[in-house]
Amino acid sequence: ITTDFCDKPNEASGSIAIDIGLKHLVVATDGTKVENCTHAKYFDKQISALQSRADKLKKGSRKQKYLRKVINRLYDVKCRKINDFQHKVSRRLANKYDTIYAENLSVKKMSEGHWTNLNKAIRNAKFAQFISFLSYKTNKLVLVNPYNTSKTCNNCGFINENLKLSDRIIVCANCKEKYDRDENAAKNIFCLGQAINFGLCSEKATIQEVLK
């Protein structure tokens, strides 16, 4: 007979919303900010240097085959370190909160966008994997529509259309409220997530529909 056994009661309670990004993997409504790991940047630099050396060698030579093996090992180590980091962060959140609200991001579209300098960073950040870790660790994960969660002022509902990706501290053009871009997005995700959780709107609803 196989049974599930937990020697410690689950003490997770309450709810939280998180905004996922490149600089900070998590910016939460409780004030938590978790900086993203730098493993990908560190290993990519080494891999790029070895790849350049390997390309200059004779194809199929013993030296080139050796460098290919080293490069593959570095890819594996990079992947394991990113996975380990995301497992720890997701476990910490799941142990503390019963319900987590997050954006339903289309990572494929994001990594194929016109910000070519960010495409590789988005792929390395593995947002979809982090959401996947949360989905089976937390009691309840609610994914919301990410449309305009960053551009919409949580204080008055005004959409700051001219917002640039580099704008981190924002002053709302309508109510003059000054706020952090990621913290504001987390608050909007929380409002939208709660509305979905209590059946007040569908999962496709936008933050504008909820704030109205």
Side-chain angles (χ1 to χ4, degrees):
I1 299 173
T2 303
T3 60
D4 291 329
F5 175 75
C6 182
D7 58 345
K8 291 183 180 179
N10 187 5
E11 297 177 354
S13 62
S15 56
I16 191 175
I18 59 172
D19 180 58
I20 300 171
L22 291 176
K23 183 179 180 182
H24 292 94
L25 177 64
V26 168
V27 175
T29 46
D30 67 349
T32 300
K33 288 188 178 182
V34 181
E35 284 197 21
N36 223 327
C37 63
T38 57
H39 301 310
K41 188 175 180 180
Y42 171 77
F43 283 103
D44 282 345
K45 187 176 180 180
Q46 294 190 56
I47 290 169
S48 179
L50 291 175
Q51 188 68 58
S52 180
R53 284 175 56 190
D55 291 340
K56 294 174 184 178
L57 296 172
K58 184 179 178 181
K59 190 174 181 180
S61 66
R62 187 171 64 178
K63 183 67 173 177
Q64 191 189 56
K65 287 179 180 178
Y66 170 74
L67 287 178
R68 297 288 185 202
K69 286 183 179 179
V70 175
I71 289 169
N72 289 336
R73 286 174 190 164
L74 288 175
Y75 272 121
D76 289 340
V77 174
K78 181 184 85 168
C79 185
R80 288 200 303 271
K81 284 188 174 291
I82 294 172
N83 291 353
D84 178 66
F85 170 73
Q86 293 193 350
H87 270 301
K88 288 175 179 175
V89 175
S90 57
R91 172 48 60 195
R92 199 185 317 153
L93 290 170
N95 284 348
K96 192 173 181 181
Y97 294 99
D98 180 68
T99 304
I100 298 176
Y101 307 118
E103 291 176 315
N104 188 13
L105 299 173
S106 176
V107 180
K108 188 175 185 297
K109 287 183 179 179
M110 290 171 64
S111 63
E112 294 174 352
H114 58 277
W115 302 294
T116 52
N117 59 324
L118 294 178
N119 291 344
K120 187 175 183 180
I122 291 171
R123 289 193 294 271
N124 280 332
K126 295 187 176 184
F127 296 147
Q129 175 180 272
F130 183 66
I131 293 295
S132 175
F133 289 166
L134 284 173
S135 68
Y136 69 81
K137 289 179 183 178
T138 190
N139 184 42
K140 189 171 187 179
L141 176 67
V142 179
L143 298 179
V144 307
N145 189 338
Y147 184 70
N148 278 344
T149 52
S150 294
K151 292 183 178 181
T152 303
C153 175
N154 184 259
N155 187 54
C156 68
F158 179 77
I159 303 174
N160 295 279
E161 295 285 2
N162 298 324
L163 210 60
K164 299 177 182 177
L165 203 61
S166 57
D167 296 333
R168 309 316 301 176
I169 302 297
I170 302 159
V171 178
C172 179
N174 183 54
C175 67
K176 307 305 178 184
E177 180 80 10
K178 187 177 180 180
Y179 54 82
D180 179 272
R181 179 194 183 110
D182 297 333
E183 291 176 2
N184 177 72
K187 290 178 182 178
N188 285 333
I189 293 166
F190 188 80
C191 292
L192 192 49
Q194 282 203 314
I196 295 170
N197 198 28
F198 292 113
L200 301 177
C201 66
S202 69
E203 293 181 358
K204 293 183 180 180
T206 63
I207 185 59
Q208 288 76 39
E209 295 171 15
V210 172
L211 292 178
K212 287 179 181 179

